[in-house]
Amino acid sequence: MVKIIFVVGLDDFHLAQLQEVQSSDQYRFHALLSYQEIKRVKRFPVQELLEHARRVLLEFDGTVDAVIGFWDFPVSTTLPLIRDEIGLEGPSLISVLKCEHKYWSRLLQKEVIPELVPPFQKIYPFREDAVAQCTLDFPFWLKPVKSVLSHLGFLIRDTIEFETSLDIIRKNIARYAEPFNLILSKAELPEGIRAVDGYHCIAEGLISHGQQCTLEGYVYKGSVHIYGVIDSLRDSIHSSTFTRYQYPSNLPSDVQHRMIEATQKVMVHIGYDNAPFNIEFYWNEDKNTIHLLEINTRISKSHCPLFKLVDGEYHHKVLIDLALGQRPDFPYRQGPVKVAAKFMLRFFQDGRVVTVPDREDIRQVEQKFPGTEVLVHIQEGMRLSELFDQDSYSFEIAVLYMGADSHEELSANYQTALAMLPFKIDSYEDR
């Protein structure tokens, strides 16, 4: 029997992936608002999304078997509300918020894995004495309790940087804070968390020394499973800026095992169940210590092509299986290559886009390196500052997904592909 699956924030790129997963002929995918309507807007339409979803799903002429999504905010935090409206099972809103609310999540992590949690405290950026309020030693990270892709996340090394960052946060935090507060209002929160709404920030001691990685996993009927570990490699100057994700991880197996054990403890403690997640860690090789960075209540869409290249399947399959109430059945090392990466092309200052690769340029790269996918985020004539939800130090202008049989071959192929893609951006600082 064909299963009807609604997708929140569906776009053509991910629809093509969904239609390639195993048994895809048994699924019919319907968009529940498009990616452009959900993510490429100045104001996140949370209330409109909830009302639209309720109307569409209740009026649908047939059985709705699942509602899924693979985007971060506001998709991941609204899915429990959407599913609850039509009686579909999935993780509770409370368990999702325990992961997504950065301050609340830290409090819960500290209860079961205190040795893996940095010193932290809540900060209200609109207090006149916000700087004096912070008791952490410099340097530390400052970020909203809810944001995406390191948006409004700043490395604070002194009082001047603290004050400057607070000023930027005050001017921009409403983009996430207002819709996040709407979602928080629909949950029965502990008194101590109700007071820490979306207009708050969290300050955290540094744990970003060493190698970062992400564990992709799921919880099924209370049992936590990890099916992939991906290395997250950052820019050497701006340590919050990713340059590529690489799979499989190069971390020692014993380090990965320690991370898996910590993940099992914290996810069971939070009560998250019957859904996928990804969780990020740092490993300090010199001290052989690990620290937990954050938990995301979704699969990482960035990792989907990597799993396809190495394991032979997009991990949308995990998401679909769980949404249908089934234990995921995911392949292992059945793909055409041994290693794969998502390369992120970045520009580190604002500028005007002069030239971007055309379809023929991209076709030649994808033809020369089978399995490669190129996505360009910019258009000729635009300013980079017009891009939404960038990190605090760079602009992501394009991504390349590539695979190879060795790290050396992968790196060489990437450099060749870059040379074939004509990007030109005029920096304002060069004028």
Side-chain angles (χ1 to χ4, degrees), residues 205-219:
L206 294 191
I207 58 173
S208 52
H209 297 295
Q211 187 168 333
Q212 185 178 354
C213 73
T214 301
L215 280 62
E216 291 281 358
Y218 62 88
V219 188

Side-chain angles (χ1 to χ4, degrees), residues 363-380:
R363 187 194 67 80
Q364 290 181 8
V365 169
E366 293 179 343
Q367 186 176 50
K368 183 175 180 63
F369 302 108
T372 294
E373 296 180 86
V374 180
L375 296 178
V376 177
H377 300 327
I378 55 177
Q379 299 175 343
E380 292 181 3

